[in-house]
Each structure stands twice: as C-alpha cells, then as structure tokens.
C-alpha cells in the first residue's frame, strides 16, 4: 500500500497536468477532487477522468483534504493554496508527486534534470537523443510537454526532465542523479517576487549526485559553488579546465568524466551558434554523468534536430530571410537570437513578466535596422529602443496583427537583412502560446512569398 492509498487529494488546475495528475492519483488508490475556475476545463477533465469529484472555483480546500497537488503556474499567494497552507495542508506540484511515487518503486527510474532561463527544451531533446543512441529507454518529459507522472507510469527507465522555476518551487524533495542550470536572466519576476527567489528555485536542480552549471555565467557558477551536489561539473564555450566540458579547436571535449575525450565536432551540432553548442555541452554532461559512452553522445547530437519555433528560417523574400524564434519568450533568449545575425529587423512584444529589456537593446543596438513592436508591453520596449538605440526606426503597432507586423518589417529591411521574430516576452496577451504566435508569423511570411 502506497502513501497515497486512501488519502483525499485536491488537484488544483484542470489542464493537461491536472488531468495526468488525477489519473495517477486514482491509479494509486487516492480519492480525488479537482478544482478550476474554468467550468469548461473542469467538464472536459471530468469527461476524460471518471471517478473524480469536480469543484468549481474553490477559494479554500474541503475540510477533509490530506494533500493539494497544484498545477505549476499557480502562485503561492493564490487564495486556495494560501488557505491550504494556513490550514497545515501540504501543497506540492505534479513533479514532486511523480518523485514520491517513483521512490515507492522497487527499481525507480533515473532522473536527469534541466533548468535555466533559456535552452531547456533544446537541451532535454538533445539529452533524449543521446540516451536513445545509447540504447536506453528514455523520454523527455516535464515542462517540455509530457507530464512526469505519465512518463513514470509508462515505465521509462531514464527521464530527461525539463523543469521550470515554477515546477522546482513546488518540488522540495526532488533529487535528480544529475541536474544542470543552463543560464539565468530576469524572467518570471512577477511570479517569484525577486531575482534571488527565482535563482533559488532554479538551484533546487543541483541537489543530487552531480550538479552541472554554465561556467560562463557568474550567477549560475555561484549557485553551483553553494550547491549540495556531491560532484560539481562545469561547461564552457571556451577551453575547459579539469572537471569541465568545453570546446577545443572546434571539438566538444570532456575533461570531467575521465581522461580528455573528444565527443563531437561543433559544426555537427544543431541548432548552430553559441546557444546550441552550450545546450549540447549541458546535455553531454548529464549523459556522461549517467555513464553514457562518448560514441553515443556523438551519435545522439548528430541525430538531433531542434523543434519548431526555435530559430527556424521560414522563407527568403527579395534577399531578406525571415526567422521564426517565437520561443524567445524573454530578453535573454531574444538577445541570443539577435546575436546570430549581423543586420536585423526585430519583431518583438508581448508580456514581459517584469523583466527589463534595457540591457538587451543596449547590447544589440548596433545590429538593428529597425524594430516593430506589438503586444501588451510594446511601449516599454519602445522606450528602451528610443533610449539606447535612438538611430533605429521603431514602429509601435496598436491593435495590430502579426501580419501587420511582418509587412511593416518588410518596409524596414533590405537585401541581406534578417527579419527575426524574437519577442522577448510571453505570448498570452495575443496568442494561445508561443507556438500559436510562431505559426501566425510563418503564415504572415507566406503572404509575402505569395505576393
């Protein structure tokens, strides 16, 4: 009998994660109630998960609740979660639930965890590719889209787990075999309240046997230095020291897990450019921590191709390339995107979530041909452009569509330029998600091709 058997658990949130959580809890013998403020989401979950009780818009848990499992985006100050905490009822996330359920198995899966402000999804995809090249039954899960409880119940042997700061906040017990922080920059400050709180949530990934961190990022390096992980490993885009992975003469080299070992040529890594190489170094470090051979690392990285909406060239029209990097949902990611090109017309805007774009605009002003801004926080970005790139024409589009933005960008570009959608912001003000935004960009570019 597991610790969930016979317990009454409240699931907060009826989305994809909530549905998987309810399924897992029922399978473990728990009594399950699900709450959400959306009647439609509740009804849909109830139709797919028979056996749960549905509770609309609860501001406090029922009196007999033993545990609350929250969807990751719900903040601690949510009235329901705050009331549960005040009543002494434990609140955890779906990832923590999966960890606790895994600990009850005779042969639990190995967890290899990835977090950071940018590059998480690419890195877990690379890691999954490497592990499968080694013949390991592995899957990418977590924030990448597949709930961890689903991967656990499917019996996968190694979990390449992408973890957001929200998921880590709600996961106090998770101790992966190896975990990495890719980078840190301002993001989700509206949720966490401060940069320090955001960083400390990320640092929870460094609590297992091996902690891996970006040696080129001072904040990340400082978190690793204070981490309880038994072994500390760094990665760098430069020449690696002992205990690091890095780049020597165009080759990825491992100086952390045994004698100096060449893993793969930089030119074989996709996506191209420094961010892609950094992600590959991180994925290789986690795989090597699990004992994967150099040959499997090489084969897995050679086979990997990035997903949609990540620096994808949509088309070239009149000598101008149009690049969809809708996944660049914060200034740090947008900066990496812009640095990949010499002359850019930048399409940006959306929900900044409390992050500043001043440093981004200051650093990349020299490569901007023009800027087209849409979305809720367009005027904040416009103010930064006017302050730090006064020579750059900026078009702030009110009540505009993505098609309007693309056509405006065309008027600012000339042959040899690149029009880049790198919003530096979240998408929910105008779109369902970053993928919806990216598709809108691609469709708008297609209208240029057709004309």
């Amino acid at each position: 009998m597991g610790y969930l058997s016979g317990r009454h658990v409240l699931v907060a949130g009826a989305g994809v994660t909530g549905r998987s959580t309810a399924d897992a809890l029922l399978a473990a013998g728990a009594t399950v109630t699900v709450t959400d403020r959306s009647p439609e989401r509740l009804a849909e979950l109830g139709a797919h998960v028979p056996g749960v009780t549905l509770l609309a818009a609860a501001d406090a848990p029922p009196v007999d609740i033993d545990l609350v499992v929250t969807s990751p985006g719900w903040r601690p100050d949510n009235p329901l979660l705050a009331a549960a905490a005040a009543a002494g009822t434990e609140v955890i996330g779906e990832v923590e639930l999966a960890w606790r359920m895994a600990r009850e198995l005779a042969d639990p899966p190995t967890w290899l965890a990835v977090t950071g402000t940018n590059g998480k999804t690419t890195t877990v995809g690379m890691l999954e590719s490497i592990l499968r090249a080694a013949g390991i039954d592995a899957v990418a899960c977590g924030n990448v889209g597949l709930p961890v409880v689903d991967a656990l119940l499917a019996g996968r042997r190694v979990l390449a787990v992408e973890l957001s700061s929200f998921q880590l906040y709600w996961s106090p017990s998770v101790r992966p075999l190896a975990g990495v922080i890719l980078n840190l920059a301002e993001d989700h400050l509206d949720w966490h309240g401060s940069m320090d709180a955001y960083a400390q949530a990320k640092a929870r990934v460094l609590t297992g046997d091996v902690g891996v961190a970006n040696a080129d990022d001072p904040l990340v390096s400082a978190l690793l230095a204070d981490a309880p992980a038994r072994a500390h490993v760094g990665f760098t885009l430069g020449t690696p020291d002992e205990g690091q992975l890095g780049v020597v003469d165009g080759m990825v080299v491992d100086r952390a897990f045994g004698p100096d070992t060449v893993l793969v040529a930089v030119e074989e890594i996709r996506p191209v450019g420094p961010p892609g190489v950094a992600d590959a170094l991180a994925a290789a470090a986690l795989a090597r921590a699990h004992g994967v051979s150099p040959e499997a690392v090489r084969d897995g990285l050679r086979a990997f191709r990035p997903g949609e909406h990540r620096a994808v060239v949509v088309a070239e029209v009149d000598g101008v390339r149009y690049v969809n990097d809708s996944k660049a949902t914060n200034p740090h990611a947008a900066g990496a995107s812009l640095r990949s090109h010499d002359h850019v017309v930048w399409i940006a805007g959306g929900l900044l979530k409390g992050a500043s774009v001043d440093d981004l605009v200051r650093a990349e002003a020299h490569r901007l041909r023009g800027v087209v801004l849409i979305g809720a926080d367009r005027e904040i970005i416009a103010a930064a452009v006017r302050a730090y790139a006064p020579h750059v024409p900026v078009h702030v589009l009110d009540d505009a569509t993505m098609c309007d933005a693309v056509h405006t960008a065309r008027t600012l570009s000339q042959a040899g330029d690149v029009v880049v959608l790198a919003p530096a912001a979240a998408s929910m003000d105008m779109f369902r998600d970053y993928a919806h935004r990216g598709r809108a960009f691609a469709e708008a570019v297609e209208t240029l091709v057709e004309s």
Side-chain angles (χ1 to χ4, degrees):
M1 296 286 286
Y3 93 103
L4 291 167
S5 181
R7 303 185 79 189
H8 189 181
V9 183
L10 177 66
V11 176
V16 173
T17 299
R19 184 185 302 181
S20 294
T21 299
D23 273 331
L25 288 166
L26 289 172
T31 300
V32 181
T33 296
V34 182
T35 187
D36 198 290
R37 292 201 175 277
S38 167
E40 294 78 16
R41 281 198 297 268
L42 271 180
E44 185 177 359
L45 184 144
H48 287 87
V49 188
V52 302
T53 299
L54 304 179
L55 180 63
D59 285 331
V63 294
D64 62 339
I65 289 295
D66 301 305
L67 176 71
V68 177
V69 181
T70 180
S71 293
W74 287 41
R75 289 165 46 152
D77 60 0
N78 176 280
L80 171 64
L81 304 186
T89 303
E90 187 178 22
V91 181
I92 64 172
E94 171 263 336
V95 174
E96 175 74 12
L97 176 69
W99 177 261
R100 295 184 184 185
M101 292 176 67
R103 295 309 93 189
E104 295 188 330
L105 299 176
D107 186 19
T110 297
W111 290 45
L112 303 173
V114 177
T115 196
T117 301
N118 300 303
K120 297 185 293 296
T121 300
T122 298
T123 302
V124 295
M126 289 174 165
L127 179 57
E128 179 189 64
S129 183
I130 292 168
L131 294 167
R132 291 184 175 179
I136 297 170
D137 179 22
V139 67
C141 57
N143 198 54
V144 70
L146 175 68
V148 185
V149 289
D150 287 350
L152 177 70
L153 295 177
R156 299 302 188 121
R157 300 309 308 139
V158 178
L159 308 183
V161 189
E162 177 185 335
L163 294 174
S164 70
S165 59
F166 307 153
Q167 289 170 314
L168 283 163
Y169 179 91
W170 293 117
S171 302
S173 302
V174 171
R175 302 288 182 270
L177 171 74
V180 63
I181 301 180
L182 302 172
N183 44 61
L184 279 178
E186 286 187 347
D187 199 16
H188 302 303
L189 301 191
D190 54 344
W191 199 98
H192 290 281
S194 70
M195 184 63 185
D196 182 65
Y198 173 62
Q200 291 307 313
K202 293 290 194 184
R204 288 186 171 184
V205 82
L206 303 176
T207 54
D209 290 349
V210 181
V212 182
N214 185 347
D216 299 332
D217 186 317
L219 180 53
V220 172
S221 295
L223 291 174
L224 180 62
D226 293 335
R230 288 197 287 272
H232 291 184
V233 173
F235 66 89
T236 173
L237 292 173
T239 301
D241 295 330
E242 292 299 319
Q244 294 183 338
L245 286 77
V247 179
V248 180
D249 297 329
M251 306 297 292
V252 171
V253 174
D254 175 6
R255 289 181 174 165
F257 299 96
D260 290 8
T261 304
V262 174
L263 299 177
V264 69
V266 166
E267 65 182 15
E268 296 181 286
I269 295 171
R270 299 291 182 275
V272 299
V277 176
D279 294 343
L281 287 161
L286 294 181
R288 295 287 282 156
H290 186 50
V292 171
S293 71
E295 293 77 18
V297 173
R298 177 198 64 207
D299 294 345
L301 289 175
R302 283 176 175 174
F304 175 77
R305 291 294 179 268
E308 295 181 313
H309 315 295
R310 295 171 177 84
V312 176
V313 177
V314 176
E316 183 170 323
V317 182
D318 297 331
V320 177
R321 278 184 297 144
Y322 291 79
V323 174
N324 171 15
D325 204 359
S326 183
K327 188 65 168 64
T329 57
N330 55 62
H332 187 269
S337 186
L338 297 181
R339 284 192 295 276
S340 299
H341 311 286
D342 293 330
H343 303 294
V344 177
V345 177
W346 180 30
I347 299 177
L351 297 168
L352 286 171
K353 302 168 291 184
S356 169
V357 295
D358 291 0
D359 289 345
L360 163 62
V361 175
R362 186 188 297 111
E364 309 307 331
H366 64 285
R367 69 182 76 249
L368 297 178
R369 293 282 199 192
V371 178
V372 180
L373 299 173
I374 59 176
D377 290 334
R378 58 191 179 276
E379 288 293 352
I380 297 174
I381 304 175
V385 174
R386 292 170 185 138
Y388 301 108
H391 64 287
V392 176
V394 55
H395 291 245
V396 182
L397 305 185
D398 298 329
D399 300 320
T401 65
M402 182 62 75
C403 196
D404 296 328
V406 168
H407 282 260
T408 301
R410 183 183 192 180
T411 68
L412 299 172
S413 64
Q414 57 189 22
D417 291 348
V418 182
V419 173
V420 179
L421 172 67
S427 58
M428 287 74 76
D429 56 333
M430 293 177 63
F431 305 94
R432 289 189 300 276
D433 50 31
Y434 75 83
H436 180 206
R437 178 169 61 189
R439 288 192 296 271
F441 175 79
E443 291 165 3
V445 173
E446 286 302 315
T447 67
L448 298 182
V449 175
E450 293 166 0
S451 65

